[in-house]
Amino acid sequence: MTSSPTAPRSRLPLVLSTLVVLLVATTASRARQPAETTETETRAAAPARAAADGKLVMTPALEAAGVTEADLQGPHDPPVDRLHPDGQVEPALGGRLIMHVSSEPPNLNFAIENSASIRWTHYDVHAGLLQFSPITWEYELDVAEAYDIEDALFLKGGPGDDFTNIRYGKIVEETADAYVLESGSRYHPMERTTVPKAEVESVERETVWTFTLRDDALWQDGHPLDARDVHFSWSIYANQHVDCDEKRFKYEKIKRVDVGGELPERVVRFFWDEQYFGTQGAFGLDFCILPSHLYDLLDPDHPRHDPNASLEAQGTEINENVHNIEWVGLGPYRVTTWERNQYLAAEKANTYWKKAPEESGYLDEIRWRYIKDDDAAWQALLNDELDVFNRVKSEDYFGEATRSETFRSRAYKALTYVGNIGYTAWNTRRQKLSDPRVRQALGHAFDVAGWIETNYEGKALWSKCTSFWFGDQYARDIEPLEYDVEAAEDLLAEAGWYDRDGDGIVDKDGEQLVIETLMPSGNKASEKFLQALQDAYRKIGVKIEIKTYEWATLLEKVLDRDFDAVNMAWTLPTPESDPMQIWHSSESGKRTSNHAGMNDPEVDRFIDEGRRELDYDTRMEIWHRLYERIYELQPYLFGWNVPRKIAISKRVHGLKLYKFEPGFRMRDLYLEAGTPGTRPIADR
Amino acid sequence: MLQYILRRILWMVPTMFGITVLLMLVISSAPGDPAAIATAGSLETQAEAGADTASTYEKFRERFHLDEPFHVRYGLWVSDVVTLDFGPEFFRPNTQVSTELWRRLKVTVPLSLIATLLSYLIALPLGILSAVKRGTFIDKLITLGLFLLYSLPTFWAGLMLMLAFGASGLDWFPVIGLHDKDASTFDTWTYVWDTVWHGVLPVATMTYGGVAYLSRQMRVGMLETIKQDYIRTARAKGLDRRTIIFKHAVRNSLIPVITVFATILPILIGGSVLVETIFNVPGMGLYAFEGLVSRDYNIVMATVTISSFMTLLGFLLSDILYAVVDPRIAYE
């Protein structure tokens, strides 16, 4: 899960907002008007409903928001060119397309660099053991042609220095007294074994993963991929000299990786130390395989092979490797040119094992064009310097900019809901915001549904939890707090906050309820929202003070927990995300993502249970209860999921809109047959 | 004169010392911690659960000596800078600031140089004409036009030029970058022509403000000069108008313009954040701005130090030029 401001640049994906207080002389005893239920409120609230069987159902609000029936079906292969004014055409091979990227990564080594834009590039220039499919929403085989999963029984007395005090295998039977193990992998021959429960310290299921690599997978320099590459790619996380602190913690949980010996040369066995629902994602989303013949000084094939290389030398070799820039990957496209601050170009690689254009791409060249300023990028699109621009502003998307002849003659627009949620985090460490009733009051006092309707023309989805809106993890049964000023005032009064001195701001123990709310500078959406929030909270005697900071300062304040409230957003790259970082109390004291300071034993228990739960349905049930509990505590003013708005050149065809960033795949795109510079597919 | 120049150059050393100490003090005490940004992953991402952020934070501070006392940090910085090593970028440690500076200068200097030359070439004749035709319709027209130009914000003017001459308007000029997307396939002449073509709008945006300002300076200087007795004398001698203006008046009117010259050098290498942002030109201005936003102290120190040095050099050159254009000025 990543977060960012929708800052001026910003690169990156998201929304943001804030809140604040402002209060108008409202006293606890003052006459109150009953809250009005508006039509807009009803419309925007409707999308959260689901049919009795749990499936999403279309509502007028969803339809108005641009959601299609297909979107509600969950995983599916989206229709091609649904919105292209010319409809579908016959595809051609060849040509080049240019996609806008707002931030340039320092390098392309995903093991040491964690920029969001690398993910997009790696999708086309690299491959992993598994790959997340935006069509099936599952992890599919990539350079692995198969994998087996086994369990581990940790015996009493500890695992031992060489992990010999552990029994591995597939638990095929569990009796009152014992576990029965069998081999779960053809590469792990073993007799059927019964292990008495009395000898077992703990059971860690699905912790042994055995991957078989494809025999036709080649690095783009022609070197064959082998198990050594995978082992090396894991081993770097144990080397403190490698700049991979952001990911190290994930792979330190893999205690052992076996290659060679009795295992065939293309087989790798991973041994995790505890069961975790996200193991597949760790292999599929984050694990970056590096070519050991180019990165590992201990590899005999390395040009500067040194069997005595120190850990520091090995770390330097990885951190400063020329191939961090001149990337050699496993994917269908090979990086050919990187003009710093300008563009990155990749051409079709002849080493990729999949040859059909539907799988490996139609284009001869993909180019990622780095333009920081979105206005400049928009102009680049109009001037044929870009083919795809996926950061179209709302006012342009719905306004004159996309209705102009200049735009319509060259491009068309499309929107898709990728996983994101804007939120305003209340710092619950602050005394004044520590009472859930105060936060619930703040939830009641802002008309989220009305805001979505008026500010986003209804094209945003009210999100009541930090989970992918269309996924099973999303707690659809959460009853949203209604816009109810009277209820808000009652809750504040109940918590001891009312206007004692008649200055229009509620107070308690001599302190006024003034909430300093941070927002990133230059973000018009946040500014507009916060001003609306100021107005709304003024009605209940809460004052919002908006504080604008540029990103570096904002971030420092947030990580130092030096704020009352902050408006930001999350992106959700997969249908199911780990709530640990945002909500577990163990993260509250760190400089990580539990900005709100959530510290609730029940929440912790749900997270701990959910992370270990391997049964999908049971886990979903746990997540739903977790998010219901979180919503009840209102650590955020939960915001909305705004769609990703894309402008795309009309010469581009093959667009499928997905639910995950960046909302489409370059690999799907093609030019029409007959376009100069292309060739018929028959000539592939 | 030579002694004076040497003395001025020597004075630059303590001046630069003062500037750099002050600069480092200011940026170190400004809010926003680069290690916090590094801990958070990047400007776009935040750390994930379980990440050892404390370790990342400390390692970052150690790596870039942010954990050292101020005097140690400054000493380390100076010891590198005397060898023209400005250190690595904080967030692209494999990139040396000096290497990137050189790359950016190759973009910024030609653009700024052309814009500056154009500014002078257009502004000086306009200023002279305006002064000579003082009070006439031409003078009023020029004055009005220049004031209008001077009042246009660069960002707005750049966007307007884009809209007017890009695809949204007349479609005469490219609006993004300095090269076509296919530039790598061009032959030399086509490449040069392509670069010139791409440079038209950025250069125009950088030029118009300077034209307005310089021509007013020139006009003021000229008006002051033509009131002088020696001009009246020249007229009385029966010299023709052209000789009076170009031989006697112009040279003596250049003092205000030369004063402005002191600012040219830093502009030449400093670039323009706005123009570079609008037209996506990866020059020095953008580099300095990015360094500031991301709290990359090495970038900020390098760009500001160079700009400061060029400003001092500009002042020196201005002083020398005063003596060149006006023999009455002499330095002991």
Side-chain angles (χ1 to χ4, degrees):
Chain A
M1 198 176 283
T2 60
S3 174
S4 77
T6 349
R9 84 209 28 260
S10 246
R11 28 230 64 329
L12 284 237
L14 280 261
V15 183
L16 75 114
S17 38
T18 319
L19 67 88
V20 178
V21 188
L22 215 163
L23 127 73
V24 176
T26 324
T27 64
S29 58
R30 156 186 106 170
R32 291 160 182 148
Q33 298 298 316
E36 291 179 5
T37 303
T38 64
E39 186 184 341
T40 57
E41 184 180 348
T42 310
R43 282 187 60 195
R49 312 292 181 188
D53 61 359
K55 299 292 182 192
L56 285 168
V57 292
M58 181 58 86
T59 64
L62 281 174
E63 199 169 358
V67 175
T68 66
E69 287 286 355
D71 290 331
L72 303 180
Q73 293 167 10
H76 69 285
D77 195 359
V80 176
D81 283 337
R82 183 169 65 86
L83 299 169
H84 197 297
D86 301 335
Q88 290 188 43
V89 299
E90 187 184 342
L93 288 179
R96 175 190 61 199
L97 291 183
I98 305 175
M99 175 187 172
H100 170 246
V101 178
S102 59
S103 66
E104 183 179 34
N107 63 67
L108 286 179
N109 184 345
F110 196 43
I112 63 170
E113 175 53 40
N114 207 21
S115 303
S117 60
I118 290 193
R119 274 190 210 275
W120 304 357
T121 307
H122 264 233
Y123 186 79
D124 291 307
V125 303
H126 199 33
L129 291 169
L130 305 172
Q131 186 175 66
F132 179 76
S133 165
I135 295 173
T136 62
W137 298 10
E138 289 177 354
Y139 292 95
E140 298 178 344
L141 294 169
D142 205 6
V143 295
E145 64 179 17
Y147 65 90
D148 306 314
I149 306 173
E150 295 176 288
D151 309 313
L153 300 178
F154 285 68
L155 305 183
K156 288 179 177 168
D161 293 339
D162 51 358
F163 301 97
T164 50
N165 203 30
I166 304 170
R167 297 289 174 268
Y168 298 110
K170 191 79 185 165
I171 299 174
V172 291
E173 192 181 339
E174 180 182 349
T175 66
D177 303 322
Y179 297 100
V180 179
L181 291 177
E182 281 184 2
S183 169
S185 168
R186 58 186 161 142
Y187 301 112
H188 178 219
M190 65 175 284
E191 298 294 324
R192 186 180 172 94
T193 309
T194 299
V195 182
K197 282 188 172 175
E199 295 178 12
V200 176
E201 178 81 37
S202 66
V203 179
E204 302 294 338
R205 293 176 189 267
E206 301 188 11
T207 48
V208 183
W209 291 63
T210 305
F211 288 95
T212 308
L213 305 178
R214 300 181 66 93
D215 59 4
D216 53 357
L218 296 173
W219 291 100
Q220 287 160 352
D221 62 357
H223 200 282
L225 170 78
D226 58 28
R228 185 189 177 107
D229 293 318
V230 181
H231 183 276
F232 166 70
S233 303
W234 162 74
S235 70
I236 67 169
Y237 296 105
N239 183 347
Q240 296 296 322
H241 298 283
V242 178
D243 293 336
C244 57
D245 290 324
E246 289 176 51
K247 292 186 170 182
R248 192 188 312 279
F249 73 98
K250 264 183 200 171
Y251 299 102
E252 281 177 342
K253 292 174 185 167
I254 301 175
K255 293 302 175 194
R256 194 176 119 198
V257 176
D258 287 355
V259 295
E262 293 176 0
L263 292 173
E265 66 173 8
R266 291 183 296 106
V267 173
V268 194
R269 301 194 81 207
F270 291 87
F271 299 81
W272 295 77
D273 65 352
E274 58 186 33
Q275 68 186 53
Y276 173 51
F277 84 95
T279 303
Q280 206 180 23
F283 287 122
L285 209 60
D286 294 315
F287 188 68
C288 179
I289 307 176
L290 296 173
S292 74
H293 65 285
L294 299 176
Y295 279 86
D296 183 6
L297 291 171
L298 305 181
D299 189 322
D301 291 342
H302 191 287
R304 293 185 307 284
H305 169 59
D306 176 5
N308 301 314
S310 65
L311 284 174
E312 187 174 359
Q314 292 175 55
T316 304
E317 175 65 13
I318 295 163
N319 297 335
E320 299 178 5
N321 198 294
V322 66
H323 296 290
N324 292 342
I325 305 296
E326 297 165 15
W327 182 251
V328 175
L330 293 160
Y333 287 86
R334 178 177 59 90
V335 172
T336 52
T337 313
W338 192 344
E339 285 285 340
R340 278 291 181 179
N341 308 109
Q342 293 294 306
Y343 67 86
L344 176 75
E347 290 177 0
K348 199 75 182 281
N350 57 14
T351 46
Y352 194 56
W353 57 92
K354 292 176 185 170
K355 301 299 180 190
E358 298 81 8
E359 295 181 299
S360 61
Y362 297 85
L363 304 164
D364 281 345
E365 182 183 328
I366 292 175
R367 194 176 280 193
W368 293 269
R369 183 82 152 88
Y370 302 118
I371 303 177
K372 281 185 182 296
D373 184 68
D374 286 345
D375 291 325
W378 173 258
Q379 288 299 324
L381 178 86
L382 296 181
N383 285 271
D384 299 328
E385 292 283 335
L386 278 181
D387 293 303
V388 188
F389 173 51
N390 73 340
R391 291 172 59 85
V392 181
K393 291 187 285 192
S394 288
E395 60 261 39
D396 289 341
Y397 191 90
F398 299 116
E400 182 57 31
T402 49
R403 285 199 288 264
S404 70
E405 178 57 26
T406 306
F407 176 81
R408 286 189 296 113
S409 64
R410 295 159 195 258
Y412 71 100
K413 60 182 182 178
L415 65 77
T416 181
Y417 285 90
V418 295
N420 64 54
I421 172 181
Y423 64 90
T424 302
W426 310 117
N427 188 351
T428 63
R429 303 169 189 86
R430 295 276 202 261
Q431 185 64 34
K432 59 188 169 190
L433 292 166
S434 61
D435 189 331
R437 291 171 297 184
V438 172
R439 304 192 299 266
Q440 287 160 357
L442 298 174
H444 276 298
F446 186 73
D447 182 7
V448 176
W451 178 252
I452 289 173
E453 192 62 33
T454 55
N455 194 57
Y456 293 101
E457 297 193 9
K459 287 186 170 47
L461 305 173
W462 188 358
S463 295
K464 286 115 193 161
C465 64
T466 52
S467 188
F468 178 58
W469 199 93
F470 292 90
D472 292 339
Q473 192 185 25
Y474 188 88
R476 220 159 292 285
D477 290 335
I478 290 176
E479 281 296 330
L481 292 178
E482 288 186 6
Y483 174 51
D484 187 339
V485 175
E486 187 177 353
E489 288 172 332
D490 286 346
L491 281 164
L492 283 178
E494 199 178 304
W497 292 93
Y498 52 90
D499 189 4
R500 292 171 173 83
D501 53 12
D503 66 350
I505 302 175
V506 296
D507 54 85
K508 180 183 176 185
D509 300 332
E511 186 188 9
Q512 292 182 322
L513 191 46
V514 178
I515 304 174
E516 184 182 276
T517 306
L518 315 188
M519 61 161 280
S521 56
N523 189 294
K524 297 289 180 197
S526 266
E527 190 179 337
K528 204 171 165 186
F529 164 65
L530 288 183
Q531 286 166 355
L533 204 64
Q534 269 183 333
D535 290 342
Y537 286 174
R538 188 180 292 119
K539 295 176 189 164
I540 58 165
V542 177
K543 182 176 181 181
I544 293 287
E545 285 181 349
I546 303 170
K547 298 283 183 184
T548 304
Y549 295 99
E550 41 80 57
W551 177 239
T553 309
L554 179 85
L555 191 59
E556 187 181 20
K557 282 185 157 296
V558 170
L559 293 179
D560 287 344
R561 313 308 187 202
D562 180 18
F563 67 99
D564 292 340
V566 61
N567 182 257
M568 299 175 81
W570 294 111
T571 48
L572 305 154
T574 52
E576 186 179 0
S577 52
D578 188 342
M580 177 90 175
Q581 68 180 97
I582 307 180
W583 301 120
H584 201 279
S585 64
S586 62
E587 298 295 316
S588 174
K590 299 179 184 174
R591 300 169 66 85
T592 52
S593 307
N594 187 350
H595 304 322
M598 171 62 77
N599 188 346
D600 181 66
E602 202 174 340
V603 166
D604 285 356
R605 185 169 54 80
F606 285 136
I607 293 173
D608 294 340
E609 279 178 20
R611 282 163 59 86
R612 282 187 62 83
E613 181 54 61
L614 301 177
D615 179 75
Y616 185 80
D617 291 336
T618 308
R619 191 167 68 247
M620 290 306 123
E621 185 55 36
I622 294 171
W623 294 148
H624 294 170
R625 288 160 65 198
L626 165 74
Y627 287 123
E628 283 162 14
R629 172 65 180 160
I630 291 172
Y631 194 80
E632 180 190 334
L633 295 173
Q634 285 288 301
Y636 285 0
L637 178 67
F638 288 92
W640 36 86
N641 177 348
V642 292
R644 171 66 71 193
K645 294 171 280 292
I646 304 168
I648 184 162
S649 167
K650 280 165 77 173
R651 74 189 192 101
V652 179
H653 285 269
L655 180 71
K656 294 181 183 180
L657 295 168
Y658 299 111
K659 289 279 171 292
F660 305 94
E661 289 283 10
F664 59 90
R665 298 192 301 189
M666 291 294 278
R667 214 183 289 186
D668 292 337
L669 304 179
Y670 49 79
L671 303 177
E672 185 176 5
T675 304
T678 63
R679 55 198 180 278
I681 287 187
D683 294 350
R684 71 176 67 163
Chain B
M1 183 67 157
L2 190 62
Q3 269 190 342
Y4 172 78
I5 294 171
L6 282 174
R7 204 163 54 238
R8 286 286 299 270
I9 290 174
L10 284 176
W11 266 110
M12 281 187 192
V13 176
T15 311
M16 284 305 297
F17 172 76
I19 289 172
T20 51
V21 166
L22 201 61
L23 177 63
M24 191 175 268
L25 268 175
V26 168
I27 59 174
S28 302
S29 52
D33 181 356
I37 295 174
T39 306
S42 71
L43 287 177
E44 304 146 5
T45 62
Q46 290 198 25
E48 297 180 64
D52 188 358
T53 50
S55 163
T56 310
Y57 186 84
E58 291 308 323
K59 278 165 79 174
F60 186 93
R61 289 178 61 80
E62 189 181 338
R63 180 174 193 167
F64 295 107
H65 309 295
L66 302 178
D67 54 345
E68 303 281 4
F70 178 82
H71 65 278
V72 175
R73 260 193 301 146
Y74 184 77
L76 288 169
W77 182 80
V78 169
S79 63
D80 287 340
V81 166
V82 291
T83 59
L84 291 181
D85 176 7
F86 288 101
E89 292 183 9
F90 281 7
F91 302 101
R92 292 193 302 179
N94 294 345
T95 303
Q96 290 298 311
V97 172
S98 45
T99 310
E100 188 65 15
L101 277 176
W102 177 239
R103 225 169 58 79
R104 303 272 186 155
L105 281 173
K106 286 194 286 186
V107 173
T108 292
V109 171
L111 279 182
S112 302
L113 199 59
I114 294 167
T116 306
L117 284 175
L118 277 176
S119 297
Y120 273 84
L121 286 175
I122 298 168
L124 298 193
L126 269 183
I128 293 167
L129 181 64
S130 190
V132 171
K133 303 280 186 185
R134 186 175 58 149
T136 65
F137 175 73
I138 292 176
D139 179 34
K140 286 173 183 167
L141 193 67
I142 292 172
T143 303
L144 178 68
L146 292 178
F147 270 117
L148 279 176
L149 279 182
Y150 193 61
S151 62
L152 297 181
T154 308
F155 198 81
W156 183 84
L159 282 176
M160 289 304 109
L161 285 174
M162 259 186 168
L163 293 173
F165 296 106
S168 312
L170 299 168
D171 204 5
W172 286 358
F173 299 108
V175 298
I176 289 295
L178 287 179
H179 305 291
D180 186 82
K181 56 192 171 189
D182 293 315
S184 58
T185 62
F186 293 166
D187 59 48
T188 307
W189 283 112
T190 314
Y191 185 86
V192 170
W193 178 244
D194 174 64
T195 309
V196 169
W197 206 236
H198 276 77
V200 169
L201 294 185
V203 166
T205 313
M206 293 167 81
T207 303
Y208 78 87
V211 168
Y213 183 69
L214 283 172
S215 67
R216 299 316 291 170
Q217 294 293 328
M218 190 65 212
R219 183 178 182 273
V220 168
M222 275 294 283
L223 287 177
E224 188 64 29
T225 306
I226 57 182
K227 287 182 199 161
Q228 300 296 317
D229 290 342
Y230 63 86
I231 297 293
R232 197 177 299 117
T233 306
R235 282 204 191 103
K237 275 172 34 183
L239 285 178
D240 66 89
R241 185 181 174 83
R242 180 178 297 269
T243 306
I244 292 170
I245 291 172
F246 290 103
K247 188 171 178 185
H248 297 283
V250 168
R251 185 169 165 175
N252 291 308
S253 308
L254 285 175
I255 294 288
V257 178
I258 288 170
T259 306
V260 176
F261 185 76
T263 61
I264 288 177
L265 283 178
I267 290 172
L268 273 183
I269 61 105
S272 163
V273 176
L274 293 177
V275 173
E276 290 173 7
T277 301
I278 297 166
F279 294 101
N280 199 43
V281 176
M284 280 286 287
L286 206 51
Y287 193 46
F289 180 68
E290 288 165 2
L292 200 61
V293 169
S294 63
R295 298 294 188 276
D296 191 322
Y297 298 162
N298 284 348
I299 295 177
V300 177
M301 287 298 292
T303 50
V304 180
T305 300
I306 290 177
S307 286
S308 306
F309 178 73
M310 297 309 271
T311 305
L312 294 182
L313 206 59
F315 285 146
L316 177 60
L317 287 177
S318 294
D319 288 347
I320 295 170
L321 283 176
Y322 287 150
V324 172
V325 299
D326 188 346
R328 292 170 299 177
I329 300 174
Y331 299 110
E332 291 298 329

